[in-house]
Amino acid sequence: MSSTPFTTRLRCDHCGEFCPDADIYLGDKMFCCEGCRSVYQILSTPELCSYYSINAHPGRPQREPFRSDKFAYLDDPAIAAKVIQFTNGVQTHITLFLPQIHCSSCLWLLEHLTRIDAGIISSTVSFDTKEVFITFRPTTTSLRQIVEMLARIGYEPHLSPGELSMNRQVEPRRKHWYKIGLAGFCFSNIMMLSLPEYLAGPEGIEPDISHFISIIKILLAIPVITYAASGFFIQAWKGLRERYLNIDAPIALALVITFGRSIYEIWSGTGAGYLDSLSGIVFFMLIGRWLQDLTYRAISFDRDFKSFFPMAVQVIKKEKIEQVTIENLKVNDIIQIHHGELVPVDALLSKGDAQIDYSFVTGESIPVPIDKGMIVYAGGKQTSGRIELIVVKEASQSYLTQLWNRDATEQHKTGAHPFIDSLSRYFTYIIFGIGVIAASYWWFHGRPDLMWNAMTTILIVACPCALLLSANFTTGNILRILSLNKFYLKNARVLEMLTRVNAILFDKTGTLTYKSKMQVSYEGIPLNERMKNDLVQLLVHSNHPLSKAIYHFLNVQPDHVAEHFKMSPGEGIEGWIDEHHIKIGSPQFVGAKEIKNKSTLSCISVDQIFIGTFTIHPEYRLGLSRMFNQLKERYTLALLSGDQDSEKETLANQMGRDCDIRFNQRPEDKMHYIQELQQDPNARILMLGDGLNDVPALHQSHVGIAVSDGDNAFAPAADGIIEASHISILDRILSYIRAGKKIILLSFGISILYNVAGLYFAVQGTLSPMIAAILMPMSSITIILITFGLSNYMARRYHLNLNHPES
Amino acid sequence: MSVIILLLLISLLLAGGFLVAFFWSVSDGQFDDAYGSARRLLYKDESDKPETKE
């Protein structure tokens, strides 16, 4: 418990976090930790100090120092070859993924790396993908040196086996730009060329000029229909082959008919055609698609578990340490794992004090001690010192791999067709119906010449382009606003699915609670200052997270350090202080048999007399009760935790008594729970979870959202990612998404009104072609403005953030 | 009236030139990273001397 008021606390000059104590400084600058200070030391040289002048506190906290040989594996040519893109002995090219990139200072620093390492020839940052492309001389520096240098200044690259650089996905995006540019060029020129005819009045313009203009218009329209609009034809064809009518099918049909009829009118001299409308519509639709596909390129939604592991581990072979990639680990290899590293394979503990944090795999938040000879499962994180393990299963066979590869049925996700598709289907049937009725009317009235005219006019006017436009623009804008609120969705389909959700399941650890913060409460005989000091003297010796949490809770500086003490791994610590025998540990350890053993409990006894119990609670994120209350009105809520049930009361109070709260859920239990709910065909389930233990459930649910703490690059595969700090606004986000669907429907209604009005005047022949040519793009633009305005207005109404964090 | 046709052709040619320039800039990668490029522009003329805050 800190008593210092917030206002007087200093912020670290590197990362902006509060400084815990005032003794880490350099000149007049204060730092929160040694790491930040050493980064500052490197970067405050005259060549680099712009880094600190572009933005205040540009850095990230550097509390965890990295081990000096952590990147030793990069000296191995075979492993380095996986990272290096090109080398000729003189120049080497690499692209590194740095998830820490977040502001313009990062950009500046990373493009001036030559000033830190002279061996670097050039470095270029791709901000969208959070990548840096580095060219260096392998003769003066090395891959390992560069990676270590980056890690030292706070940009540790994310190196993982088998992950492609995002930059290779650049080609389709460029293609989209070409199409937009081309369609815009053709649209504006056809528009301009059409003006003389619109403005000429009843007498028309000279036939040879009119002829010439028509030819140019057709020539300009051909690339629009063959290249710019090709995406719509391809999508429509794909849909038809799967016997499914998507929104592209009626659009493709309308485009073909408009083009055909325009050519016919121009050729027969009966009219000017609709080539300007055609190219305009294609142009606007391409912009709409582009907006919707503006997903977040730096975030991978399909990460597999391998990307959570380092590229290589240290294997001890005949007293020597070798670097071996994870795929090449063999049974009976002896591997060495350091503090804070993940165990990549199932292995037996052979040496060292293992405190394994399985929160990644099971959701259990408190590390478990492992005895020698016991198995440590892949995905466990070592939280005390160095350990040695004997591999018992190769990476591909481990429990974690099997967990991940279990094929949850994907059909719920692919089976749900987007709502614009189903809307456009009804729409298409109705339009076809009207067209056929109109055509047969004229056929039976002996006017077959008017039959084609009527049918094509109806199809052209009723093109569901406006539907596509409003849907794309609205979802594009909603996805953008959600991303400003740290909620990232894979695509528009997920957005659509979220509007139908009726049950929400939460994971506990890491989702509702902070992953590392813990609260301590004490029950028993009140502790005086002397007593606290004695306890702290003992606790200083223990690295166990429980001891550390209690140490911080007591908040006393020990005046001595206990000299006579004994640690029993997994049980507790005991010692003699001032002739008293003090024990801290599990209930059995201190002899309190009536207390049920739990990993969240720590008891104390003095001279064999039981004094009291410390209980560790996870710390809940702020604003959860309010969120649960809001969500309960519309959704069924449930909680599935891999943890023990010590938090049952607290959670029941927050979520409400009627909610299903389950503990000790293994990953497959969570999945089965969802399968059971899905027996009800109307159930639409949203699952939120953070760990690998939630992966099967995230897959099984209709929408799986991964909760990520900090850099969103490290979340399990899911349909979307929410930053943990924003989970308490989930209710507002969901309300906003539902409002978005209404905006699409509304703008679609408006566009139908436009079409009906246009059709009415067109049939009467009272609409001059020029007014029609102006109204067409006007209607598109007003629809775009309406959807944009409404979705921004709704976001404000639900108090969502609308501004880019840096502007 | 053939001068109109000539003018039309010239205007198309001009606009076509801009289109080609756009294609060129896209293939050059100028549209790949809008955020980075926008910021990078601001750093170009900075010297090695430390900058002062305004």
Side-chain angles (χ1 to χ4, degrees):
Chain A
M1 290 277 168
S2 169
S3 54
T4 343
F6 268 74
T7 43
T8 62
R9 291 175 76 182
L10 290 160
R11 283 176 183 271
C12 174
D13 269 296
H14 175 70
C15 66
E17 294 221 346
F18 290 114
C19 300
D21 33 30
D23 51 3
I24 307 169
Y25 51 87
L26 191 82
D28 58 339
K29 306 284 185 193
M30 303 290 302
F31 302 98
C32 65
C33 57
E34 277 299 326
C36 285
R37 187 175 73 160
S38 57
V39 175
Y40 187 86
Q41 219 161 359
I42 300 172
L43 299 183
S44 60
T45 54
E47 303 91 63
L48 289 169
C49 64
S50 299
Y51 178 62
Y52 288 100
S53 57
I54 295 168
N55 290 303
H57 321 300
R60 289 273 164 113
Q62 300 296 317
R63 304 249 164 79
E64 296 274 326
F66 72 94
R67 214 176 66 241
S68 64
D69 59 345
K70 184 173 180 186
F71 297 108
Y73 60 84
L74 291 174
D75 284 338
D76 184 305
I79 298 172
K82 294 191 177 184
V83 181
I84 290 170
Q85 289 163 323
F86 164 83
T87 185
N88 58 6
V90 187
Q91 264 197 15
T92 302
H93 297 179
I94 48 169
T95 301
L96 297 172
F97 177 45
L98 311 178
Q100 301 87 347
I101 295 179
H102 67 288
C103 67
S104 41
S105 297
C106 303
L107 184 81
W108 185 88
L109 177 65
L110 293 169
E111 299 209 330
H112 291 80
L113 289 177
T114 14
R115 299 184 186 179
I116 304 179
D117 186 337
I120 293 174
I121 300 166
S122 74
S123 53
T124 317
V125 173
S126 165
F127 196 89
D128 287 359
T129 56
K130 302 196 178 191
E131 284 178 321
V132 61
F133 176 73
I134 296 176
T135 321
F136 66 93
R137 292 183 205 90
T139 44
T140 31
T141 185
S142 72
L143 177 63
R144 180 181 169 186
Q145 275 174 8
I146 289 175
V147 169
E148 283 179 350
M149 180 268 289
L150 285 170
R152 255 199 313 278
I153 60 172
Y155 296 93
E156 187 181 321
H158 179 60
L159 297 164
S160 77
E163 237 177 88
L164 285 174
S165 158
M166 312 252 180
N167 251 341
R168 288 170 208 174
Q169 300 162 8
V170 92
E171 213 34 55
R173 288 168 64 90
R174 286 188 186 170
K175 229 177 188 169
H176 212 113
W177 280 114
Y178 291 136
K179 286 180 180 174
I180 290 178
L182 185 78
F185 168 79
C186 297
F187 165 54
S188 50
N189 280 291
I190 294 174
M191 258 312 247
M192 192 190 72
L193 290 173
S194 305
L195 279 182
E197 286 191 51
Y198 293 151
L199 293 173
E203 65 270 21
I205 44 174
E206 281 179 43
D208 53 337
I209 294 178
S210 156
H211 190 65
F212 175 76
I213 286 176
S214 301
I215 288 173
I216 294 187
K217 272 160 74 176
I218 293 172
L219 285 179
L220 283 171
I222 286 172
V224 173
I225 198 109
T226 53
Y227 180 65
S230 57
F232 301 105
F233 292 111
I234 292 167
Q235 285 301 318
W237 176 240
K238 271 187 192 162
L240 285 179
R241 253 200 338 215
E242 286 167 28
R243 298 180 176 279
Y244 169 64
L245 196 65
N246 55 20
I247 184 148
D248 298 85
I251 286 172
L253 185 71
L255 289 179
V256 168
I257 287 175
T258 315
F259 188 69
R261 180 158 164 186
S262 303
I263 300 277
Y264 170 77
E265 279 188 12
I266 290 168
W267 175 72
S268 65
T270 48
Y274 309 92
L275 293 175
D276 46 350
S277 310
L278 172 86
S279 46
I281 288 266
V282 171
F283 176 59
F284 286 122
M285 284 195 300
L286 283 173
I287 292 181
R289 281 248 154 125
W290 171 77
L291 247 183
Q292 201 184 31
D293 294 341
L294 261 186
T295 37
Y296 335 95
R297 289 199 288 156
I299 302 173
S300 166
F301 292 99
D302 310 303
R303 231 155 249 279
D304 82 357
F305 66 95
K306 276 190 208 144
S307 52
F308 293 86
F309 292 143
M311 288 186 77
V313 278
Q314 300 181 327
V315 172
I316 303 172
K317 279 185 183 163
K318 298 187 188 107
E319 305 299 308
K320 263 185 19 202
I321 290 174
E322 278 180 31
Q323 306 289 340
V324 175
T325 54
I326 287 156
E327 308 84 278
N328 289 335
L329 281 176
K330 295 276 174 304
V331 174
N332 290 335
D333 278 352
I334 299 172
I335 56 172
Q336 177 167 272
I337 300 291
H338 296 262
H339 169 84
E341 289 182 348
L342 287 181
V343 178
V345 288
D346 297 352
L348 290 178
L349 182 70
S350 65
K351 207 171 169 185
D353 168 31
Q355 296 285 344
I356 305 294
D357 169 7
Y358 277 127
S359 61
F360 204 41
V361 188
T362 61
E364 177 73 55
S365 50
I366 290 171
V368 283
I370 304 278
D371 292 328
K372 288 199 182 73
M374 298 299 285
I375 198 159
V376 179
Y377 292 103
K381 189 181 187 184
Q382 164 66 340
T383 58
S384 63
R386 191 183 71 87
I387 50 170
E388 284 177 20
L389 304 138
I390 303 167
V391 177
V392 291
K393 269 183 193 167
E394 285 171 22
S396 56
Q397 322 250 290
S398 72
Y399 172 67
L400 188 68
T401 322
Q402 286 167 4
L403 196 67
W404 197 289
N405 291 342
R406 188 196 314 265
D407 247 336
T409 40
E410 280 276 306
Q411 59 188 5
H412 308 281
K413 299 196 173 173
T414 51
H417 291 307
F419 130 90
I420 49 163
D421 277 6
S422 46
L423 199 60
S424 87
R425 193 191 312 214
Y426 290 120
F427 190 69
T428 313
Y429 290 149
I430 293 169
I431 292 305
F432 264 109
I434 296 174
V436 168
I437 291 167
S440 44
Y441 174 84
W442 289 116
W443 175 262
F444 288 115
H445 283 73
R447 295 289 303 275
D449 55 321
L450 280 179
M451 176 185 86
W452 287 111
N453 206 355
M455 189 148 177
T456 47
T457 310
I458 287 166
L459 285 176
I460 289 166
V461 171
C463 165
C465 305
L467 174 60
L468 186 72
L469 265 186
S470 60
N472 280 352
F473 274 90
T474 316
T475 49
N477 198 32
I478 289 174
L479 288 175
R480 187 185 65 88
I481 289 170
L482 290 179
S483 78
L484 290 176
N485 291 279
K486 311 283 180 202
F487 188 59
Y488 309 93
L489 293 179
K490 200 172 176 178
N491 52 38
R493 202 167 271 234
V494 180
L495 199 66
E496 158 59 21
M497 225 27 231
L498 277 173
T499 62
R500 300 195 220 162
V501 159
N502 50 23
I504 306 176
L505 310 183
F506 294 90
D507 167 54
K508 186 181 73 94
T509 315
T511 303
L512 299 181
T513 67
Y514 291 99
K515 232 175 208 164
S516 47
K517 283 193 204 165
M518 285 184 223
Q519 278 181 334
V520 181
S521 64
Y522 173 74
E523 237 178 296
I525 303 166
L527 299 170
N528 58 27
E529 285 305 308
R530 184 67 251 146
M531 187 69 212
K532 281 187 188 172
N533 210 308
D534 291 349
L535 286 175
V536 168
Q537 289 183 30
L538 261 186
L539 289 168
V540 159
H541 294 287
S542 170
N543 268 329
H544 193 274
L546 273 181
S547 320
K548 284 187 178 164
I550 299 170
Y551 182 91
H552 284 290
F553 169 70
L554 293 171
N555 197 26
V556 183
Q557 283 295 322
D559 44 16
H560 295 282
V561 173
E563 279 162 21
H564 307 287
F565 68 93
K566 194 178 127 206
M567 270 198 275
S568 318
E571 302 215 15
I573 182 165
E574 59 187 308
W576 276 265
I577 295 161
D578 300 335
E579 313 284 306
H580 292 297
H581 181 204
I582 299 181
K583 278 180 147 188
I584 310 169
S586 66
Q588 287 96 327
F589 181 71
V590 299
K593 293 195 178 64
E594 67 282 2
I595 298 174
K596 215 177 111 204
N597 191 16
K598 275 184 193 165
S599 60
T600 52
L601 284 184
S602 198
C603 303
I604 40 176
S605 72
V606 177
D607 299 330
Q608 313 297 339
I609 302 162
F610 177 73
I611 301 284
T613 314
F614 291 104
T615 313
I616 315 291
H617 308 280
E619 195 174 329
Y620 289 91
R621 298 185 192 279
L622 294 172
L624 290 180
S625 301
R626 190 201 59 82
M627 177 191 80
F628 284 133
N629 275 330
Q630 292 293 322
L631 287 178
K632 249 191 308 191
E633 288 176 9
R634 183 172 265 273
Y635 304 99
T636 320
L637 303 181
L639 181 123
L640 303 171
S641 173
D643 238 338
Q644 299 176 352
D645 63 355
S646 51
E647 288 298 305
K648 195 164 189 166
E649 271 306 299
T650 329
L651 281 165
N653 283 336
Q654 293 216 4
M655 296 181 73
R657 301 273 150 196
D658 46 338
C659 292
D660 201 354
I661 298 175
R662 296 186 177 207
F663 291 93
N664 297 315
Q665 298 281 305
R666 288 170 302 149
E668 47 272 45
D669 296 334
K670 294 188 179 187
M671 191 179 82
H672 290 148
Y673 181 83
I674 294 174
Q675 279 171 340
E676 245 168 69
L677 289 183
Q678 283 169 340
Q679 298 291 317
D680 174 7
N682 294 323
R684 293 282 179 276
I685 293 155
L686 165 64
M687 168 84 200
L688 289 108
D690 71 310
L692 280 187
N693 61 320
D694 299 313
V695 166
L698 291 176
H699 273 267
Q700 181 65 37
S701 57
H702 296 94
V703 184
I705 302 288
V707 178
S708 111
D709 234 330
D711 297 319
N712 36 41
F714 300 99
D719 299 315
I721 295 172
I722 185 167
E723 219 155 89
S725 52
H726 285 67
I727 197 161
S728 59
I729 59 164
L730 185 71
D731 55 322
R732 303 208 304 255
I733 287 177
L734 289 176
S735 310
Y736 179 56
I737 290 172
R738 284 198 310 273
K741 188 173 173 176
K742 287 186 195 125
I743 295 173
I744 294 178
L745 276 174
L746 182 74
S747 55
F748 183 47
I750 294 172
S751 71
I752 286 181
L753 280 183
Y754 266 126
N755 282 347
V756 169
L759 200 60
Y760 175 75
F761 285 115
V763 166
Q764 299 203 329
T766 50
L767 199 64
S768 86
M770 190 179 74
I771 307 271
I774 294 167
L775 277 185
M776 189 282 309
M778 280 297 288
S779 68
S780 302
I781 290 168
T782 44
I783 285 166
I784 291 163
L785 289 178
I786 287 169
T787 60
F788 248 94
L790 273 181
S791 47
N792 279 2
Y793 168 76
M794 291 313 271
R796 221 165 267 137
R797 226 186 99 183
Y798 290 113
H799 305 290
L800 294 178
N801 184 22
L802 273 172
N803 299 318
H804 196 271
E806 219 193 303
S807 55
Chain B
M1 283 301 263
S2 61
V3 68
I4 293 246
I5 291 177
L6 193 70
L7 280 174
L8 278 178
L9 281 175
I10 291 171
S11 79
L12 267 178
L13 218 64
L14 266 176
F18 285 115
L19 184 70
V20 170
F22 174 73
F23 281 180
W24 190 5
S25 64
V26 171
S27 67
D28 197 36
Q30 291 184 19
F31 284 74
D32 292 350
D33 178 18
Y35 183 92
S37 310
R39 297 297 180 286
R40 205 167 289 134
L41 184 74
L42 301 170
Y43 310 145
K44 268 285 184 282
D45 56 341
E46 59 104 59
S47 63
D48 280 3
K49 276 178 247 148
E51 283 172 29
T52 46
K53 278 185 194 173
E54 77 265 36

